[in-house]
Amino acid sequence: MKNLILLSVGALSLAACAPMMAPAYTLTRQDSAPAGLNPVGTVAAEKTDTTTTTTARLTGLAANTYYVAHYHKMGTASTDPCKSGGPLIMSSMMVGQTDAGGALVLNGVVANADIASATYYNVHTAKDSMGTPADGGVACTTVRP
């Protein structure tokens, strides 16, 4: 009986230290996406006590092209977060390049405090490897950090 209780306490202790998984969000095509792009994908966020690790996976993008993504705060242009035109949260910026088939994986780590007020996650075509956005967005999803 003692072993069973100790095992249960040990498992609970380990669970308390483990990262918390947030649900995966579905990215959908934005009206501002360039013609010929049909982006689909997901964004998953794994939280610890102080940081969030974000992984975005998309297909249907232009081959061998740079993309930039970041969390945004709510804007005032619409009640739909993805159409609200909210300010980006610069510390959450992730830049990557698609493969020859138009697939992209972006990874980033940001402080939880930085994205506490985020309402959406947006992916843009980038003009360069520095992540300068080239459009209003190709794919977006509402988030709840």
Side-chain angles (χ1 to χ4, degrees):
M1 185 66 156
K2 277 186 186 179
N3 289 342
L4 183 57
I5 292 171
L6 288 176
L7 183 60
S8 297
V9 170
L12 288 174
S13 296
L14 285 175
C17 296
M20 298 172 283
M21 286 297 289
Y25 300 99
T26 302
L27 287 158
T28 56
R29 186 181 194 284
Q30 291 182 269
D31 294 339
S32 55
L37 294 186
N38 294 302
V40 294
T42 60
V43 176
E46 185 177 311
K47 289 178 90 171
T48 67
D49 290 339
T50 58
T51 62
T52 298
T53 300
T54 303
T55 302
R57 298 178 188 280
L58 293 98
T59 59
L61 300 172
N64 305 310
T65 301
Y66 284 103
Y67 287 85
V68 59
H70 20 59
Y71 288 93
H72 287 255
K73 295 180 181 181
M74 186 69 180
T76 58
S78 173
T79 57
D80 175 349
C82 286
K83 295 179 181 180
S84 72
L88 65 93
I89 300 171
M90 197 63 175
S91 61
S92 69
M93 183 172 82
M94 295 167 240
V95 179
Q97 187 174 22
T98 53
D99 64 16
L104 177 68
V105 177
L106 296 169
N107 293 295
V109 179
V110 64
N112 291 340
D114 289 359
I115 61 168
S117 59
T119 59
Y120 65 102
Y121 181 89
N122 198 19
V123 180
H124 305 262
T125 307
K127 293 180 183 178
D128 51 39
S129 63
M130 299 301 293
T132 306
D135 53 41
V138 297
C140 187
T141 186
T142 300
V143 296
R144 309 249 186 273

